[in-house]
Amino acid sequence: MRNGFQATDNSQPNGSEKQRKTHYSRLFRRFILLTIVCSLIPLLLVGWGINIHYTRFSNERMINAFQIQVEYHRKIIELFLKKHSSKLHLIAQSHPKDYLLSGSNLNNIFEILNREYRSFTDLGIIGADGYHLKYIGPYDLMPNNYADTFWFKEVMEKDLFISDMFMGFRKVPHFIIAVTRLEKGEKWILRATIETEVFRSLVENVRIGNTGEVYLLNTKGIFQTSPRFSGKIMDKAPTPIESFREGINVRIIEKHTDHHGKKYPRQIYSQTWLKDPPWLLVVKQNYDEAFSEVNHANYATLILLHLSALIILIVAVFITRHMISVIKNRDDEADKLNRQLLQTSKLASIGELSAGVAHEINNPLAIILTEKQILLDMTNDTAATTPEIKGQLSESLEQIDVQIKRCKRITHGLLRFSRRTQSVIETINTNQFISEVIELLEREAGSGGIKFFTDFEENLPNILSDPSQLQQVMLNLITNSIDAHDDKAYGSIHVRTRSNNQQGVEIVVADTGMGISPENMDKIFDPFFTTKPVGKGTGLGLSICYSTIKNLGGDISVWSEVGKGSEFKVFLPFSPPPHLLEGTADNPKDYQMDIATVSS
Amino acid sequence: MKGAKILLVDDEVVFTDNVTKLLTSRGYRASAVNSGDSAIRLLEKENFDVIVLDLKMPGMDGLATLKEIKKIGLFTETLILTGHGSIDSALEAIKLGAYDYLTKPCEIDELVAKIEGAWEKKDDQEKKDIEEKIHKLVESPASAFDLFPKNKKKR
């Protein structure tokens, strides 16, 4: 047997291993790419599409809502103005001038008008000459002549006039409503000042969020109410005013800076013209606030979308990694199987060849042996030769004998390897069986400072196998283990038995020897592979172990590390292959092959 | 009777010559033939105590020869000597009635020992047979007639 596995430690970097790694990482990348293309891109496209659609839809809704709000405010303002001008109209049309001027009649009407809430500041009747005929209110306006005021001319022409905000005689922003009546060929005017606070609160108290404001502008762009942020009543609005237009105009004003250097954020801006007076109602709000809900929902969906994309990506990475590892395991297994198959077929063909060679060599050997015998007989019989010749002759013959025996050992080993042996199947108690083999070898090993340790599983089931062949295998393995300690003074051999998966038993022979170098690993079961000096080992021991174990339906594997030791693991089924069991009964035990150990 | 009468059957002429020589020098009456056919032809005429038979031969091989020998029904023991590694065929031979087998190459002493064993067995068998026949003859003298045609055929 061979076992002096030389401890050459040049485990070269495996090129194919590297290649395989790149192969797997390429596969990994391809899978990931495929996942992205097939699931992430559609997801993102659909997500983004829905998001864009939803954003547009909700923007429209927002703008609509804004429009409705503006419309509502316009209605309120118009209603307010209409209500008050109608009241004045009614008074002027239903009461003659004389009645209103006499006594406290106008006073009574003024009180009735303000009974519910104070909406008129004062009330006065002005004659065609522009002087007050009668005045009820907090100011002393009787001496004032209005004939030259802007509104006087207007009202004389139009019958109804609602003024812009103006300071007038009293130096407070206010506006008036004036109506005329033609009585007996003469026009007179009923003029009232609207309680500014009431009107302004109607517009100014509208609060839209934190940044929204509502205000009125006249045609010249002067604030008719105080806006919340943009300025003060009677100020000029910073933005130029547009000409009259029907309907409600809503638009988004982008971020900008006005000529005073004041910065404005993006705003939603809506305006509509009142008909009478021609005031512009403006409602605006910072875009971010107005659309905060929409934006919020948008962000939420986008975050959700990208989060799910990320999750898919992560899951894809994990799944792919798992898949790759499964594929890798499969490949490894297939590789292992292939290697085993290759090994088996290689050994089978070597076995065929060996059997032929061994047989062909046996015949000439037999002849040489007979020739030797004839010569030996002759030498013994004849006394004629000199002692030197006789001595040399017998020495040569002895050497011939030794060499023939060596050849015979080889050919018999080969024949055994090629499985041309008959199995004799018996019930074997594995633990007891191994103990006996160890006992056989213990003396030899003990002298080399090698100790045996056994670790047997209790109640190990018996197996059906060929004891003589198994003995051969165990002897070979253990002698190998002993020989692996060649250069060591001490060592140990552990022999372990275990039941394996309800299918058979496992026998492990582990040594603390020199180990097997990686490049020899593939060859150790090949016939004639040996690292022992010439003539010391035939290189058949492990090959015989291999073929014997395979023949018995088992398996043998090896683990080794240079400098640490080797471990041979033999698996044996509880029952050998059926063809070995056939005819067990009528195979006389006496005719099994002699089990001389094929020792080196 | 001096040494046993031995017939070597092997296609290797040098081998049979040598073994014949060696056996003769050890006091046996050995002769050799180099094929199964010639062995059978010889056995038609002559009886041997022990036949040493090679399994693998051109033409009629060892097993076929053995079958033929058994057909003839001689008092002889066959020893299988083979370079063939197949124990299966050796066992087959033993099932067919061979005495034992030896694998080539083997020492002449081994061969001689086996020949001695075979010879002894053959003698025992012969004696037993004769005893049986005598016993039969004593029991029913008429059966003596049965002996004649057989004897006639034998020689």
Side-chain angles (χ1 to χ4, degrees):
Chain A
M1 277 143 286
R2 88 309 282 262
N3 33 14
F5 299 121
Q6 252 127 48
T8 43
D9 189 17
N10 58 338
S11 39
Q12 72 260 42
N14 208 332
S16 65
E17 189 65 25
K18 216 173 176 182
Q19 218 171 356
R20 281 181 63 178
K21 247 181 200 165
T22 52
H23 168 73
Y24 289 125
S25 57
R26 201 181 306 141
L27 207 65
F28 181 77
R29 280 198 298 270
R30 202 174 293 172
F31 275 141
I32 291 288
L33 196 75
L34 212 67
T35 317
I36 289 173
V37 169
C38 290
S39 60
L40 278 193
I41 288 178
L43 174 80
L44 289 179
L45 280 181
V46 168
W48 287 331
I50 287 175
N51 189 258
I52 287 166
H53 179 77
Y54 170 74
T55 306
R56 209 164 52 193
F57 174 73
S58 40
N59 276 1
E60 264 168 30
R61 285 283 299 265
M62 273 315 289
I63 285 169
N64 238 352
F66 225 77
Q67 241 168 358
I68 289 166
Q69 210 167 15
V70 172
E71 176 72 26
Y72 171 73
H73 285 303
R74 185 180 73 173
K75 284 237 168 88
I76 285 177
I77 294 163
E78 278 181 344
L79 208 68
F80 180 88
L81 294 171
K82 193 135 200 167
K83 192 171 85 185
H84 288 79
S85 43
S86 303
K87 278 178 188 168
L88 292 180
H89 244 300
L90 185 68
I91 295 163
Q93 295 300 327
S94 55
H95 302 82
K97 188 170 76 181
D98 298 340
Y99 172 80
L100 291 172
L101 291 175
S102 67
S104 60
N105 284 344
L106 191 64
N107 211 11
N108 288 344
I109 287 170
F110 183 67
E111 265 161 29
I112 290 165
L113 279 176
N114 280 340
R115 184 174 288 164
E116 258 181 75
Y117 57 92
R118 197 177 156 74
S119 53
F120 292 97
T121 310
D122 57 10
L123 197 62
I125 293 168
I126 296 162
D129 54 357
Y131 281 103
H132 261 121
L133 300 173
K134 184 131 189 163
Y135 172 77
I136 292 155
Y139 305 102
D140 179 24
L141 299 176
M142 285 303 283
N144 294 346
N145 186 300
Y146 292 98
D148 294 327
T149 55
F150 66 94
W151 57 267
F152 184 81
K153 288 166 193 158
E154 291 260 358
V155 79
M156 289 303 268
E157 280 172 26
K158 277 195 203 163
D159 290 350
L160 170 69
F161 177 70
I162 301 170
S163 77
D164 289 346
M165 284 285 177
F166 65 104
M167 300 305 266
F169 292 109
R170 55 191 99 160
K171 311 297 177 203
V172 189
H174 67 283
F175 76 99
I176 57 153
I177 300 176
V179 294
T180 55
R181 183 175 172 188
L182 190 66
E183 199 179 343
K184 296 167 194 160
E186 197 186 354
K187 262 190 181 172
W188 55 272
I189 299 167
L190 180 66
R191 185 205 63 91
T193 307
I194 301 299
E195 188 66 51
T196 324
E197 288 309 314
V198 173
F199 179 73
R200 280 174 61 180
S201 69
L202 196 70
V203 179
E204 286 170 19
N205 286 358
V206 176
R207 289 266 185 273
I208 302 174
N210 289 324
T211 59
E213 59 180 351
V214 182
Y215 56 85
L216 284 168
L217 291 170
N218 66 6
T219 46
K220 292 174 192 105
I222 307 291
F223 285 122
Q224 301 299 296
T225 57
S226 269
R228 216 161 142 199
F229 307 106
S230 312
K232 267 187 171 163
I233 191 162
M234 301 308 287
D235 281 355
K236 187 151 172 69
T239 41
I241 203 90
E242 285 173 26
S243 55
F244 180 82
R245 211 162 80 182
E246 281 266 359
I248 299 162
N249 177 20
V250 181
R251 62 175 193 266
I252 309 288
I253 299 173
E254 293 303 324
K255 226 187 256 185
H256 66 280
T257 312
D258 68 7
H259 54 274
H260 296 299
K262 200 178 170 196
K263 278 182 183 164
Y264 292 91
R266 197 171 184 220
Q267 284 178 319
I268 178 164
Y269 176 94
S270 104
Q271 57 175 35
T272 183
W273 284 98
L274 270 54
K275 272 195 189 114
D276 197 19
W279 287 346
L280 187 67
L281 175 68
V282 175
V283 180
K284 64 182 183 182
Q285 193 178 8
N286 280 3
Y287 183 90
D288 287 343
E289 192 188 31
F291 287 87
S292 71
E293 248 169 72
V294 175
N295 288 344
H296 195 75
N298 253 353
Y299 288 140
T301 45
L302 281 179
I303 284 170
L304 209 69
L305 177 72
H306 290 114
L307 207 68
S308 31
L310 192 73
I311 287 169
I312 287 176
L313 197 69
I314 290 169
V315 168
V317 166
F318 273 104
I319 288 176
T320 310
R321 198 167 286 172
H322 177 72
M323 259 160 51
I324 296 285
S325 82
V326 167
I327 291 171
K328 208 172 157 202
N329 282 349
R330 285 265 170 89
D331 286 357
D332 285 351
E333 227 150 81
D335 273 5
K336 202 173 137 197
L337 225 77
N338 268 343
R339 272 207 299 278
Q340 271 176 2
L341 210 67
L342 205 72
Q343 175 81 348
T344 311
S345 67
K346 183 175 79 181
L347 290 181
S349 51
I350 292 174
E352 281 299 306
L353 183 73
S354 322
V357 169
H359 177 243
E360 287 314 314
I361 296 222
N362 273 347
N363 276 327
L365 276 182
I367 293 167
I368 294 171
L369 200 64
T370 53
E371 295 287 359
K372 182 219 80 180
Q373 195 61 50
I374 289 166
L375 279 179
L376 195 66
D377 286 0
M378 276 173 69
T379 330
N380 289 339
D381 290 349
T382 50
T385 45
T386 62
E388 295 107 75
I389 295 175
K390 209 168 178 178
Q392 178 60 48
L393 210 58
S394 63
E395 202 178 293
S396 299
L397 288 172
E398 216 167 275
Q399 192 53 236
I400 290 173
D401 208 35
V402 168
Q403 296 307 324
I404 288 173
K405 281 201 176 111
R406 187 173 154 195
C407 289
K408 189 180 167 182
R409 223 168 37 228
I410 295 171
T411 52
H412 278 207
L414 276 179
L415 289 169
R416 199 166 286 153
F417 163 70
S418 68
R419 297 185 204 161
R420 300 279 178 93
T421 48
Q422 184 79 14
S423 300
V424 181
I425 304 300
E426 287 176 29
T427 304
I428 299 171
N429 178 333
T430 317
N431 288 345
Q432 194 192 328
F433 177 79
I434 291 171
S435 299
E436 283 167 16
V437 175
I438 291 172
E439 224 166 85
L440 267 176
L441 289 162
E442 212 153 28
R443 212 173 304 145
E444 190 190 337
S447 63
I450 291 158
K451 285 209 166 89
F452 278 95
F453 296 95
T454 51
D455 171 14
F456 292 158
E457 184 176 301
E458 276 177 46
N459 305 322
L460 195 68
N462 287 346
I463 59 167
L464 276 174
S465 203
D466 183 331
S468 65
Q469 289 186 29
L470 266 193
Q471 189 186 31
Q472 176 84 62
V473 169
M474 292 317 296
L475 281 172
N476 282 359
L477 286 180
I478 295 172
T479 2
N480 259 358
S481 297
I482 295 168
D483 292 348
H485 293 89
D486 238 7
D487 55 347
K488 285 187 180 175
Y490 299 98
S492 59
I493 295 168
H494 292 254
V495 183
R496 200 163 67 227
T497 59
R498 290 280 181 276
S499 65
N500 176 314
N501 282 345
Q502 316 292 316
Q503 287 171 351
V505 296
E506 207 174 78
I507 305 161
V508 177
V509 179
D511 64 57
T512 52
M514 60 184 79
I516 306 162
S517 63
E519 71 267 22
N520 284 344
M521 266 310 209
D522 280 352
K523 293 183 262 179
I524 60 163
F525 293 116
D526 294 0
F528 300 115
F529 175 77
T530 182
T531 54
K532 280 182 180 176
V534 176
K536 227 193 150 198
T538 58
L540 285 173
L542 278 180
S543 3
I544 290 171
C545 288
Y546 182 89
S547 61
T548 306
I549 294 295
K550 284 279 173 184
N551 193 35
L552 291 173
D555 201 2
I556 183 166
S557 62
V558 60
W559 172 91
S560 183
E561 204 175 322
V562 173
K564 279 198 172 172
S566 311
E567 189 180 287
F568 284 86
K569 193 184 277 178
V570 173
F571 164 78
L572 285 166
F574 285 136
S575 178
H579 71 268
L580 291 185
L581 282 171
E582 281 169 18
T584 304
D586 52 301
N587 276 341
K589 202 196 160 194
D590 320 359
Y591 295 105
Q592 59 184 285
M593 200 157 168
D594 61 322
I595 50 144
T597 62
V598 187
S599 61
S600 42
Chain B
M1 206 192 277
K2 225 193 151 216
K5 198 174 170 195
I6 297 160
L7 176 64
L8 293 168
V9 188
D10 197 323
D11 56 325
E12 293 268 3
V13 181
V14 185
F15 181 73
T16 48
D17 284 354
N18 285 349
V19 176
T20 311
K21 226 180 266 177
L22 287 168
L23 288 177
T24 310
S25 72
R26 276 161 179 72
Y28 295 99
R29 290 173 289 155
S31 48
V33 287
N34 297 110
S35 74
D37 290 324
S38 36
I40 298 299
R41 275 202 301 276
L42 187 61
L43 284 169
E44 301 270 331
K45 292 180 274 174
E46 206 177 335
N47 203 359
F48 289 88
D49 294 323
V50 178
I51 299 165
V52 179
L53 185 62
D54 185 24
L55 275 186
K56 203 183 160 206
M57 288 185 291
M60 194 191 246
D61 74 356
L63 283 180
T65 314
L66 181 63
K67 278 179 198 162
E68 282 300 312
I69 292 169
K70 287 290 151 189
K71 245 188 229 164
I72 296 167
L74 298 171
F75 274 112
T76 186
E77 282 300 327
T78 315
L79 188 59
I80 305 293
L81 180 62
T82 177
H84 202 286
S86 167
I87 303 306
D88 294 356
S89 14
L91 288 173
E92 177 81 29
I94 283 160
K95 268 186 215 165
L96 286 172
Y99 168 71
D100 202 346
Y101 74 91
L102 267 173
T103 47
K104 280 196 226 171
C106 68
E107 289 289 345
I108 191 72
D109 296 341
E110 277 178 70
L111 181 63
V112 166
K114 294 260 165 156
I115 287 172
E116 284 294 327
W119 189 25
E120 209 169 291
K121 193 183 171 199
K122 182 246 165 190
D123 270 356
D124 284 353
Q125 289 286 84
E126 210 166 21
K127 270 179 203 152
K128 224 196 251 168
D129 189 64
I130 289 166
E131 269 166 27
E132 235 169 66
K133 278 173 186 163
I134 290 168
H135 192 71
K136 229 178 183 180
L137 213 60
V138 170
E139 271 190 358
S140 62
S143 67
F145 291 107
D146 296 344
L147 296 172
F148 289 107
K150 233 183 199 172
N151 279 351
K152 212 175 189 178
K153 219 180 194 177
K154 206 171 175 184
R155 189 58 56 94

